[in-house]
Amino acid sequence: MAATGDLDELVDTVRYPLADREGRGAAVARARADLADGGCTVLRGFIRPELIETLRAQGAALAPHAHYEVEQVNAYNIPLHTDLPPDHPGRIVLERGNAFVARDRIPGDALIHRLYTDERFQRFVADCFGLAELHEFADPLAGLCLNVVAPGMSHPWHFDTNEFTVSMLTQPAESGGVFEYCPNIRSPEAENLDDVRSVLTGSGARHVRRLELRPGDLQLFQGRFSLHRVSPVSGAAQRHSAIFAYTDRPGVIGTVERTRQLFGRVLPDHLAARARLVRGDQLLD
């Protein structure tokens, strides 16, 4: 667990007094309102400005440890040979060219690791999402990771497995690499396949919002129900972002298939978890 003073050293606590439950009330209220409206909120300048270069440099040092694999996928991250109706959007093939640095490659003194494990930060995130409790992913690879999108690559349209996502840009692309999302395009009760298909085929612009992020901004997002992507990156610089994986219940570990897809390997923990997997909804994935 992070040391007591870490949060004050990392976060602009003048703007975000996270240790003061009453003082942080305004930031929590804004975040909840944004999430209720569109499933996304951004806390601008969350990290202290004097640490932005350190944040970038640490991410750049980690990036070479990413697992790279360009592959054909669909928006649901299910096998392409899944038996689906001919017009199902899951039949639309996309190219995924982003990469991930797994948690076991991220040192404990990295800024993103110190933030991820801080109890006060976790309590703040839980309050923003309106959760009674919040737990780190028990997954030894996916709990905390660095997403790397190289020039010429993108993170194509997809849904998240988890209902909520916490992330932070650490290095922007020189050009492109814009976060785009379709707020609540589906729900736990309805896949809304026609709307999803329209976005994937380029005719659903009315559903899409674009979000310009800066290094050190904290993004809270409900990606289980909102189709989203990082647009193609161009120029000389890679796009790096930290992904802080939390859940509202303890002991959550990623699936074998998804873990191998993202990190190129699985550990005994993933194999053991496969036998006790419990789904929270019946969405395709």
Side-chain angles (χ1 to χ4, degrees):
M1 191 58 62
T4 303
D6 269 7
L7 196 64
D8 298 328
E9 297 171 3
L10 301 178
V11 176
D12 185 345
T13 50
V14 174
R15 300 177 67 180
Y16 305 104
L18 305 194
D20 179 357
R21 192 175 186 86
E22 184 174 336
R24 71 180 187 233
V28 170
R30 286 195 303 271
R32 287 189 179 184
D34 288 346
L35 289 165
D37 174 60
C40 183
T41 189
V42 178
L43 285 75
R44 300 289 184 185
F46 192 78
I47 293 293
R48 289 185 175 277
E50 63 269 23
L51 293 178
I52 296 302
E53 175 53 27
T54 300
L55 184 71
R56 187 209 63 77
Q58 290 182 348
L62 290 170
H65 298 289
H67 169 68
Y68 287 86
E69 185 173 346
V70 177
E71 59 184 331
Q72 304 297 305
V73 298
N74 55 40
Y76 302 92
N77 288 303
I78 59 173
L80 297 181
H81 56 74
T82 301
D83 186 19
L84 299 170
D87 62 344
H88 195 288
R91 285 185 171 272
I92 298 174
V93 178
L94 309 167
E95 184 175 89
R96 187 179 72 84
N98 63 325
F100 291 89
V101 179
R103 182 176 184 176
D104 63 357
R105 300 287 192 263
I106 300 174
D109 61 353
L111 296 184
I112 58 174
H113 193 283
R114 291 165 60 191
L115 188 62
Y116 175 66
T117 57
D118 191 291
E119 289 181 333
R120 289 172 295 170
F121 176 70
Q122 293 172 6
R123 183 64 261 162
F124 172 73
V125 170
D127 287 347
C128 288
F129 281 115
L131 300 171
E133 53 185 55
L134 191 76
H135 303 272
E136 296 175 25
F137 256 34
D139 194 303
L141 300 182
L144 170 69
C145 58
L146 185 78
N147 179 229
V148 178
V149 187
M153 300 297 179
S154 69
H155 193 173
W157 291 111
H158 66 284
F159 291 103
D160 290 341
T161 303
N162 198 32
E163 289 192 14
F164 54 89
T165 304
V166 183
S167 62
M168 178 177 290
L169 188 72
T170 65
Q171 176 173 287
E174 185 175 304
S175 181
V178 176
F179 183 81
E180 300 179 338
Y181 68 108
C182 306
N184 300 315
I185 198 169
R186 70 175 182 177
S187 72
E189 296 77 29
E191 291 278 10
N192 295 330
L193 299 178
D194 290 344
D195 289 344
V196 173
R197 187 189 310 107
S198 72
V199 173
L200 299 181
T201 57
S203 62
R206 67 188 182 282
H207 298 294
V208 180
R209 297 186 188 180
R210 295 166 58 87
L211 189 60
E212 296 287 348
L213 297 168
R214 299 187 295 264
D217 290 345
L218 183 69
Q219 181 185 10
L220 308 182
F221 181 59
Q222 293 169 321
R224 180 70 175 148
F225 311 117
S226 296
L227 188 67
H228 55 289
R229 73 167 185 169
V230 173
S231 67
V233 167
S234 58
Q238 296 179 336
R239 182 189 191 272
H240 300 160
S241 58
I243 300 176
F244 308 90
Y246 299 110
T247 181
D248 57 359
R249 63 189 190 280
V252 173
I253 294 178
T255 65
V256 169
E257 295 78 10
R258 183 72 166 142
T259 300
R260 185 174 286 113
Q261 182 186 61
L262 296 181
F263 302 106
R265 57 193 169 107
V266 295
L267 300 179
D269 297 32
H270 300 102
L271 299 174
R274 179 162 56 184
R276 58 178 186 271
L277 178 65
V278 177
R279 296 188 61 88
D281 57 51
Q282 296 305 309
L283 293 172
L284 188 57
D285 218 330

